[in-house]
Amino acid sequence: MKILYHHRIASKDGQYVHIEEINKSLKKAGHDIVLVAPSMGEQQEFGGDGGVVSKLKQLLPKALYEVIELAYSIWAFLKLAKAIKSHKPDFIYERYNLFCPAGIWAKKWFKIPLLSEVNAPLFEERGKYDGISLKKLAKWSERYVWRNADKVLPVTDVLADHIRAEGVPESRICVIPNGINTEAFIDKQYDNPLPVDTSDKIVVGFVGFCREWHGLDKIVELLALPGNESLFFLLIGDGPAVASIKDTAKQAGIEDRIYITGLVNRDDMPAWLTPIDIALQPAVVAYASPLKMLEYMATAKAIVAPDSPNIRELLTHQENALLFDPKDMSSFVQACQTLATDDALRTRLAKQAKQSIFDKKLTWDENAAKIVELANGCIQR
């Protein structure tokens, strides 16, 4: 099939991984992809923040920036129209964004099915973290896309509840969680890149941009407790909490038992996961399908994660992970301690975590197949 893939992501960060991986899997399955997207996102290295778009967002009044966002949809529609006329795609696959009705306009004008991938309730998310000035317009744009897409594909059932609440019928909603590139995270073996010998250690690891509310300083304190001399902490990433973590380790005299990589290249991530025995998901957005957690599962890690509805869509306490009360950080630390002292439990949970990838079909290839199946159903109507 010929698929017109549309997104408005200008940065090249975690959200870009989803875009890149699903396109790889669609191409691997023999489908042709016609990409309509901001060129600046494609040209950046991984970790890029969107350049001029990010600066405009910081400098302009919110209302003006939001008007520019909506105005961009006119330009995006023209690009979509040109691509449709030139390539005659079978359907449009779009990553939903706020103030971006261009895909729906193209679907209606050219009578082509559109599948809308939804990774967050952006009206709620942006309102909470960045603030929204043109609230009625923003809410209209979200509702307009969700209600007019042929299929809406949220990454969790928790997120699907937001979509149901906007009047989208169940028949047009299909939950498709994030996935795993099996070739990179399962099929290949990697050398351990850690420049510290941890062969006699139990490595507790975290991947991501760490903030204070992750509570990773508590893990450093755990390492310092008597009896935990065999524990080693590996932080794959960076963030504002790094300085505090280093200070805590220095005060405890265990600097030699932590290692912080800083930002790593996306292609190097599978190798960096190699030395980890206990993998941490200390906090999670309520509606997210955490990519790092799936990568932990695929590489057979004993996982500690919050006992929240979206996490329970993938993990079960004592079956393929240990889940803790997200309101009680002491339970997070206790779960880590339990795994550190129970080799059999750690091994069993790690093995079952990896098996769950296959049992639940949590791969990008499976996601690509599901997308095409849904699109075929829309085309045949």
Side-chain angles (χ1 to χ4, degrees):
M1 296 181 77
K2 189 167 286 188
I3 305 165
L4 198 166
Y5 193 107
H6 178 230
H7 73 81
R8 203 192 67 188
I9 305 300
S11 57
K12 204 161 191 177
D13 49 18
Q15 59 190 332
Y16 196 86
V17 174
H18 194 149
I19 295 168
E20 191 172 54
E21 292 294 352
I22 199 64
N23 272 292
K24 282 182 186 176
S25 288
L26 287 166
K27 289 176 183 177
K28 188 166 71 170
H31 305 290
D32 294 326
I33 305 295
V34 178
L35 183 66
V36 175
S39 58
M40 66 185 69
E42 301 298 318
Q43 294 165 0
Q44 292 182 82
E45 294 295 324
F46 187 76
D49 66 358
V52 67
V53 174
S54 179
K55 288 182 174 64
L56 282 174
K57 189 172 184 180
Q58 294 171 14
L59 295 173
L60 294 178
K62 279 188 173 60
L64 178 57
Y65 181 78
E66 290 162 13
V67 168
I68 292 172
E69 282 187 278
L70 186 60
Y72 172 82
S73 288
I74 299 172
W75 173 241
F77 171 76
L78 294 175
K79 289 170 69 177
L80 286 166
K82 181 179 179 181
I84 290 168
K85 289 177 181 177
S86 298
H87 300 281
K88 297 178 173 52
D90 295 292
F91 69 96
I92 302 170
Y93 188 82
E94 181 176 71
R95 184 183 175 100
Y96 155 72
N97 216 319
L98 206 60
F99 296 109
C100 191
I104 298 297
W105 292 343
K107 157 200 152 55
K108 289 178 174 289
W109 187 268
F110 293 98
K111 296 180 171 53
I112 299 175
L114 179 143
L115 280 65
S116 179
E117 171 200 302
V118 181
N119 293 272
L122 291 177
F123 176 76
E124 175 186 310
E125 184 174 271
R126 277 182 56 171
K128 180 178 180 181
Y129 296 106
D130 296 328
I132 295 175
S133 182
L134 306 177
K135 293 181 180 179
K136 289 184 179 179
L137 186 60
K139 187 62 177 176
W140 166 83
S141 73
E142 182 164 271
R143 187 180 291 125
Y144 179 76
V145 171
W146 291 357
R147 289 184 176 180
N148 286 280
D150 292 88
K151 292 288 182 181
V152 186
L153 313 179
V155 292
T156 63
D157 194 57
V158 173
L159 182 51
D161 284 339
H162 290 262
I163 296 164
R164 295 177 185 112
E166 294 301 333
V168 180
E170 195 68 34
S171 61
R172 289 200 283 116
I173 299 172
C174 180
V175 176
I176 301 183
N178 279 330
I180 275 295
N181 180 328
T182 54
E183 292 177 359
F185 285 90
I186 295 179
D187 297 341
K188 289 184 181 178
Q189 298 294 317
Y190 297 90
D191 292 332
N192 183 352
L194 192 59
V196 179
D197 182 10
T198 58
S199 57
D200 61 342
K201 305 293 185 188
I202 298 169
V203 178
V204 183
F206 170 84
V207 173
F209 194 71
C210 61
R211 299 186 184 276
E212 283 73 11
W213 45 264
H214 281 122
L216 296 176
D217 57 323
K218 303 295 183 185
I219 299 303
V220 178
E221 292 171 5
L222 179 68
L223 264 65
L225 291 177
N228 284 342
E229 291 78 12
S230 65
L231 293 185
F232 186 95
F233 181 42
L234 170 61
L235 196 162
I236 306 168
D238 206 339
V242 164
S244 174
I245 290 168
K246 288 181 176 178
D247 285 345
T248 303
K250 185 176 182 179
Q251 291 172 15
I254 57 168
E255 302 105 306
D256 61 336
R257 286 199 282 132
I258 72 165
Y259 187 83
I260 301 172
T261 65
L263 185 66
V264 303
N265 188 291
R266 176 66 194 165
D267 292 338
D268 296 332
M269 185 58 69
W272 275 108
L273 291 174
T274 301
I276 295 176
D277 300 297
I278 301 170
L280 308 179
Q281 177 79 59
V284 66
V285 177
Y287 41 77
S289 176
L291 186 60
K292 68 168 163 260
M293 194 177 73
L294 291 159
E295 293 172 352
Y296 293 161
M297 294 169 71
T299 50
K301 308 304 175 188
I303 300 168
V304 176
D307 188 5
S308 59
N310 58 328
I311 295 299
R312 290 197 299 271
E313 292 180 33
L314 301 175
L315 299 178
T316 302
H317 183 57
Q318 289 283 359
E319 182 178 305
N320 56 1
L322 288 188
L323 303 184
F324 66 91
D325 181 354
K327 296 178 182 179
D328 179 10
M329 288 307 290
S330 66
S331 68
F332 166 57
V333 176
Q334 182 56 54
C336 296
Q337 180 71 73
T338 297
L339 285 175
T341 55
D342 192 332
D343 294 349
L345 177 63
R346 197 168 62 246
T347 300
R348 178 173 65 80
L349 294 182
K351 181 179 179 181
Q352 192 54 43
K354 183 174 182 178
Q355 184 58 43
S356 295
I357 291 289
F358 301 103
D359 293 346
K360 296 177 180 289
K361 299 182 178 180
L362 299 171
T363 71
W364 294 118
D365 289 348
E366 290 284 356
N367 287 4
K370 186 65 175 178
I371 288 164
V372 172
E373 178 188 343
L374 291 169
N376 270 321
C378 295
I379 293 166
Q380 293 167 10
R381 283 193 310 218

